[in-house]
Amino acid sequence: MIIMIAGYYIKGMLAMKWKSRSLITIIVIIGLCSITSVVDAASNGKAVAGEFKISHFTKDQLIKLNGEWEFYWQKLYTPRDFIQKDIAKNRQFVTVPQEWTSYNFQGNHLPLAGYATYRLRVQLPQNALGTVKAIYMPSEASAYRLWINGKEMSKVGTVATNRKEMIPDNNPKVIMFKVDSNPIELIVQISNFHQRRAGLEEGILIGEPEPVMAYKEKSIIYRTIIIISIVIIGLYHAALFLFRKKEYSFLFFAIVCIVVAVRATIQEEGLASYLLSFLSWEIACKLEYLGATLGTLFIALFSYTQFPQEMNRKLRNIITIVWTVNSLFIIVTPAVIYTRAMLLIQILMIITFLYIIYVYYLAVRAKREGSYLNTAAIIVMFAAILNDTFYFNRLIATTELASVALFFFLFTQAIILSKKYATSFAKTERLSEDLSRMNASLEQQVLERTQELKQANEELFITNQKLYEVQQSKNKWIRNISHEIAAPLTNIRSYTKGMLDGVIPPEQKYIQLIYDQSLYFSRMLHDLNDISEIENHQIKFTLEQTDIREYFRSLYEKYKWDIEKQGIKFIMIDNLPPQTQYIFIDTTRIEQVIVNLLKNAQRFVKEDGKISLELAQENTNEVTIKVRDNGIGIKGEEVGLVFNRFFKNSTKGKPHSGAGLGLAIAKEIIEYHKGTIAVESKPGKGSCFYFNVPIMKTAIETQFEGA
């Protein structure tokens, strides 16, 4: 397989100019680096008879808790049961990680549907007492509860003894705990009535908190880069189809990108828990399997648009029918049925790709344009499909590679498209030379056509400039998104680090603050797809009746610790009338505005500075919210520019990596709420950013006006 890919790659290189060969070589190197970027953990010993001994911990070591665990089939035991009951005589020892369908129980293999309890005692080094450790719990199928030393530390889905009461879910977690006894006891209840995987079929890791968190984050970051790249290219091809609706290859290719991106997102369950948390487990599972069936269908249709003469139309129709039926089968049946048909789907997928490779081989023989690169790309895709088939059937220990292979495939199509445009441009140049040699009697016509070509070239140059500007604007948007999500992420890390260091006591209110910040962070990530709609004012808002005083007091409490730890005095001034005032707002969006204003204030005050969050009612119809600081202020000529997009204050404050979009976004949010936002500032005397929000008359009237 590797020899074939290398052969087609070399042939494609020889058929191109030096610059094209260099570009493709860089792409191949990037693709190979991406494929090899897989996170793994090391083994250290093995559990024997339900006990795992760890002699020592290193700083970055992650230990797999593999080996023999205690196993109790059709029993859901809790830590209290192991204390009060003599149940050790009923225990079995089974190998973990492994699906329980491979276990023997009373001479028979266990069924797929059922429930069980796992138990393991872990002997830690003596110096581990009193320290904080972490466990990485993968998304075990398909609901579980975890106890550590008698305390329930994690719960995903609802464990039950029957399908009706059980609620499945997939969500890998990092669980931190304090080692207050040695050895520690792990008890895991698992039930499965919904899919083809069952039991502890993925390894559990233990280690120091930081490397365990890094283990989870590296995989998410790696997958996020691939998914974002695929989505962007998919949207690009969809836009091309809107302009050239006869080119169905653009449409088919865009659909492939989107479905593979959705599938890759769902398979990376840590990422899916952020971006697709609103989906039920059943729907997410359907989308994952539809990503495989629809992706194969539209790759086949895309291949037909590339080489229609080589692909047999009847076989194309058969492929279309087979994958359409498979997709409908997944849609209309529950997961417990269609997941068991995955092996058949994988076999059909391999057969389909073998035929597509044959079609590309015929195109190479016929020397079709782009056939060499297309063939190399489809072989890489086929190799990834084989890898995923073996990986998801637990035959090899790699990772999902279809999305990476598709990423490589996308680049090859971009190269082919660029080559077509370059060829067209070369033909235009040759035509200009031919026109210059025409008869003198046609000199005027040659001049006119030359002018037309010159105009076309100028338009092409202008178009390229616009594309460059669009790309630059896109880069600025990405930096802006980083600016927007930095605040909640910093708060979460600050509170968590404070608790770990003992600076902040682990009280309920601080845990609640961390939870609130994580919800806000999740919402910001969910809005990534909506950020481009700011231009058209199409962002979706969820307006709700809100007690203005209680709402802003909660914001004040949420950010007080973070601001005051910087040596800044932070106060809240309530000048509202004593009666309760209600406003109709999207609380998440208004919080986004407040956070932007507070961050700007922190940037321009000294460590002994002062920031105040003020509430006032300056007229009967509006509530005014002010963020006032005693910082260095804003220059007079710049006061009217601060809400412009990409504007950055020339006054030097604390380091700031924002893209200059925070205040512009805040302005649009306030204007959507039918309010106004402004600033008053004098150099050396501080600034006061304020905005007005209409007071709610009645819930029905205000909702009608907001629509």
Side-chain angles (χ1 to χ4, degrees):
M1 181 67 69
I2 296 175
I3 294 174
M4 291 175 64
I5 296 173
Y8 287 121
Y9 176 76
I10 293 171
K11 288 183 180 180
M13 294 300 100
L14 294 175
M16 294 187 175
K17 295 183 179 181
W18 179 84
K19 290 183 178 180
S20 298
R21 292 199 297 268
S22 300
L23 176 61
I24 298 174
T25 302
I26 292 172
I27 292 170
V28 171
I29 292 173
I30 293 173
L32 292 175
C33 292
S34 299
I35 291 174
T36 56
S37 299
V38 180
V39 181
D40 199 4
S43 298
N44 185 1
K46 189 175 182 180
V48 177
E51 295 189 1
F52 194 106
K53 295 183 179 180
I54 300 175
S55 58
H56 65 280
F57 271 109
T58 61
K59 182 178 180 181
D60 298 324
Q61 185 181 26
L62 298 182
I63 298 174
K64 298 178 180 178
L65 299 179
N66 296 349
E68 295 179 349
W69 286 52
E70 293 181 25
F71 181 74
Y72 303 88
W73 176 243
Q74 300 294 68
K75 301 291 183 181
L76 295 179
Y77 289 137
T78 64
R80 181 175 297 179
D81 293 327
F82 284 96
I83 297 174
Q84 297 179 350
K85 299 179 181 179
D86 184 17
I87 58 178
K89 61 183 179 181
N90 297 323
R91 67 182 177 180
Q92 285 185 300
F93 295 106
V94 296
T95 302
V96 172
Q98 192 170 317
E99 296 185 20
W100 68 39
T101 53
S102 62
Y103 300 156
N104 281 317
F105 187 75
Q106 297 179 351
N108 297 316
H109 283 285
L110 297 181
L112 184 65
Y115 52 94
T117 301
Y118 293 78
R119 182 171 179 256
L120 180 68
R121 292 167 59 84
V122 182
Q123 181 73 42
L124 300 176
Q126 289 301 318
N127 59 7
L129 281 171
T131 63
V132 176
K133 304 299 179 186
I135 283 181
Y136 176 75
M137 193 72 181
S139 55
E140 305 294 354
S142 52
Y144 76 85
R145 296 174 69 187
L146 169 66
W147 286 267
I148 301 177
N149 284 342
K151 298 179 181 179
E152 184 173 0
M153 303 296 291
S154 179
K155 178 181 179 182
V156 173
T158 300
V159 178
T161 58
N162 56 74
R163 177 181 174 83
K164 182 178 180 181
E165 296 178 0
M166 179 190 160
I167 301 176
D169 196 3
N170 283 338
N171 186 8
K173 288 189 175 183
V174 174
I175 302 112
M176 299 185 186
F177 65 97
K178 185 176 182 180
V179 181
D180 51 12
S181 65
N182 196 13
I184 62 172
E185 178 189 56
L186 304 182
I187 297 176
V188 184
Q189 293 180 356
I190 294 184
S191 62
N192 176 61
F193 294 93
H194 293 79
Q195 62 164 326
R196 66 189 183 95
R197 298 183 301 165
L200 289 177
E201 40 85 34
E202 291 189 35
I204 299 174
L205 307 178
I206 188 172
E208 299 292 342
E210 291 185 1
V212 174
M213 290 293 297
Y215 178 86
K216 180 181 179 182
E217 292 172 355
K218 285 180 183 178
S219 178
I220 294 176
I221 293 171
Y222 158 72
R223 189 71 62 187
T224 300
I225 294 172
I226 298 298
I227 291 170
I228 291 177
S229 302
I230 292 175
V231 169
I232 291 174
I233 297 177
L235 295 176
Y236 170 76
H237 281 79
L240 288 178
F241 173 74
L242 294 178
F243 291 108
R244 293 183 58 84
K245 295 187 178 179
K246 293 182 179 180
E247 294 288 344
Y248 285 97
S249 60
F250 293 147
L251 175 62
F252 296 150
F253 201 73
I255 295 175
V256 171
C257 293
I258 298 304
V259 298
V260 171
V262 172
R263 174 178 168 81
T265 302
I266 294 173
Q267 287 177 332
E268 186 58 53
E269 286 133 354
L271 180 60
S273 65
Y274 289 123
L275 300 181
L276 303 176
S277 58
F278 57 93
L279 294 179
S280 67
W281 179 89
E282 185 74 33
I283 294 176
C285 192
K286 287 182 184 293
L287 289 176
E288 178 184 355
Y289 279 74
L290 286 173
T293 58
L294 293 179
T296 304
L297 168 61
F298 285 101
I299 285 178
L301 293 177
F302 173 78
S303 300
Y304 177 76
T305 61
Q306 299 297 293
F307 306 114
Q309 297 177 346
E310 280 69 33
M311 180 175 283
N312 184 282
R313 181 171 293 185
K314 291 183 179 178
L315 288 177
R316 180 207 64 180
N317 294 339
I318 292 174
I319 291 173
T320 302
I321 293 172
V322 167
W323 289 110
T324 301
V325 170
N326 269 291
S327 300
L328 292 174
F329 172 73
I330 292 172
I331 292 173
V332 301
T333 58
V336 71
I337 295 177
Y338 66 77
T339 55
R340 299 190 184 188
M342 188 58 190
L343 182 60
L344 174 62
I345 293 174
Q346 292 169 340
I347 293 173
L348 292 174
M349 190 180 300
I350 292 174
I351 294 172
T352 301
F353 272 89
L354 285 173
Y355 176 68
I356 294 175
I357 291 174
Y358 174 72
V359 170
Y360 280 40
Y361 166 74
L362 295 179
V364 170
R365 288 185 55 184
K367 297 182 178 179
R368 304 290 183 194
E369 184 179 3
S371 59
Y372 290 114
L373 279 177
N374 269 310
T375 303
I378 203 66
I379 290 176
V380 171
M381 279 290 294
F382 179 70
I385 294 298
L386 287 179
N387 170 84
D388 288 3
T389 300
F390 295 142
Y391 171 70
F392 287 114
N393 284 285
R394 310 298 178 188
L395 299 177
I396 58 176
T398 56
T399 188
E400 185 270 343
L401 294 179
S403 56
V404 182
L406 179 63
F407 188 59
F408 174 76
F409 190 82
L410 297 175
F411 273 110
T412 63
Q413 302 311 307
I415 293 169
I416 293 170
L417 185 61
S418 300
K419 188 173 183 294
K420 288 181 180 180
Y421 281 120
T423 302
S424 299
F425 190 79
K427 290 180 180 179
T428 302
E429 291 181 334
R430 288 195 297 269
L431 180 60
S432 299
E433 295 173 357
D434 292 341
L435 287 174
S436 65
R437 301 188 190 97
M438 292 183 65
N439 194 286
S441 62
L442 299 176
E443 184 176 356
Q444 184 62 33
Q445 183 179 355
V446 171
L447 181 60
E448 293 174 356
R449 292 190 178 181
T450 302
Q451 291 297 327
E452 291 175 359
L453 289 173
K454 183 178 180 181
Q455 183 179 356
N457 289 335
E458 291 175 352
E459 292 175 353
L460 181 61
F461 176 79
I462 293 173
T463 301
N464 288 334
Q465 287 296 109
K466 290 182 178 179
L467 288 175
Y468 176 78
E469 292 173 0
V470 169
Q471 181 62 37
Q472 294 296 353
S473 177
K474 186 185 298 181
N475 292 338
K476 289 181 179 179
W477 278 119
I478 294 174
R479 290 195 296 270
N480 173 66
I481 290 170
S482 299
H483 170 73
E484 295 301 323
I485 67 176
L489 184 58
T490 300
N491 287 333
I492 291 173
R493 289 180 174 175
S494 298
Y495 282 117
T496 306
K497 189 66 168 64
M499 290 184 182
L500 292 175
D501 294 341
V503 177
I504 300 175
E507 297 178 0
Q508 178 66 30
K509 63 177 182 180
Y510 294 113
I511 297 174
Q512 183 64 43
L513 289 176
I514 294 175
Y515 178 74
D516 293 341
Q517 288 288 285
S518 67
L519 290 180
Y520 174 61
F521 180 65
S522 177
R523 179 68 179 273
M524 291 302 300
L525 289 178
H526 180 65
D527 286 340
L528 285 177
N529 290 329
D530 296 334
I531 193 67
S532 63
E533 297 181 355
I534 290 181
E535 294 285 351
N536 299 320
H537 304 283
Q538 294 178 346
I539 285 185
K540 297 178 181 178
F541 285 78
T542 303
L543 302 179
E544 59 186 32
Q545 177 180 326
T546 305
D547 183 334
I548 182 65
R549 179 176 283 109
E550 291 299 322
Y551 172 70
F552 279 90
R553 184 169 298 280
S554 67
L555 290 182
Y556 169 76
E557 294 294 336
K558 180 184 293 186
Y559 297 102
K560 179 179 180 182
W561 185 84
D562 182 65
I563 294 174
E564 292 187 344
K565 75 174 184 179
Q566 303 175 39
I568 301 171
K569 185 177 181 181
F570 184 42
I571 63 173
M572 178 177 175
I573 301 174
D574 185 356
N575 290 326
L576 290 177
Q579 66 270 23
T580 302
Q581 300 284 1
Y582 289 95
I583 55 176
F584 209 64
I585 59 172
D586 184 326
T587 55
T588 300
R589 296 294 181 185
I590 294 299
E591 182 176 1
Q592 182 180 351
V593 173
I594 294 296
V595 169
N596 265 305
L597 299 183
L598 289 175
K599 289 299 178 183
N600 283 334
Q602 292 176 62
R603 183 186 172 199
F604 294 105
V605 298
K606 299 179 180 179
E607 291 186 355
D608 58 348
K610 177 181 178 182
I611 299 175
S612 61
L613 179 62
E614 303 177 11
L615 301 179
Q617 185 176 344
E618 298 179 354
N619 58 61
T620 58
N621 297 323
E622 292 180 328
V623 171
T624 301
I625 297 91
K626 300 180 180 180
V627 175
R628 188 188 304 273
D629 65 75
N630 60 350
I632 57 180
I634 305 171
K635 295 180 180 179
E637 63 272 20
E638 294 181 349
V639 170
L641 303 175
V642 295
F643 294 102
N644 292 348
R645 295 184 179 184
F646 303 112
F647 173 80
K648 292 187 178 181
N649 193 344
S650 61
T651 305
K652 292 184 178 180
K654 296 177 184 177
H656 179 59
S657 59
L661 290 172
L663 292 178
I665 293 174
K667 181 180 179 182
E668 293 190 22
I669 292 173
I670 296 303
E671 288 179 348
Y672 181 89
H673 286 79
K674 300 187 181 301
T676 57
I677 185 169
V679 60
E680 297 175 354
S681 180
K682 292 183 179 180
K685 295 185 178 180
S687 303
C688 177
F689 285 84
Y690 62 94
F691 60 91
N692 301 317
V693 179
I695 295 176
M696 179 178 170
K697 301 170 185 176
T698 65
I700 297 177
E701 182 181 353
T702 308
Q703 187 173 7
F704 176 77
E705 292 177 355

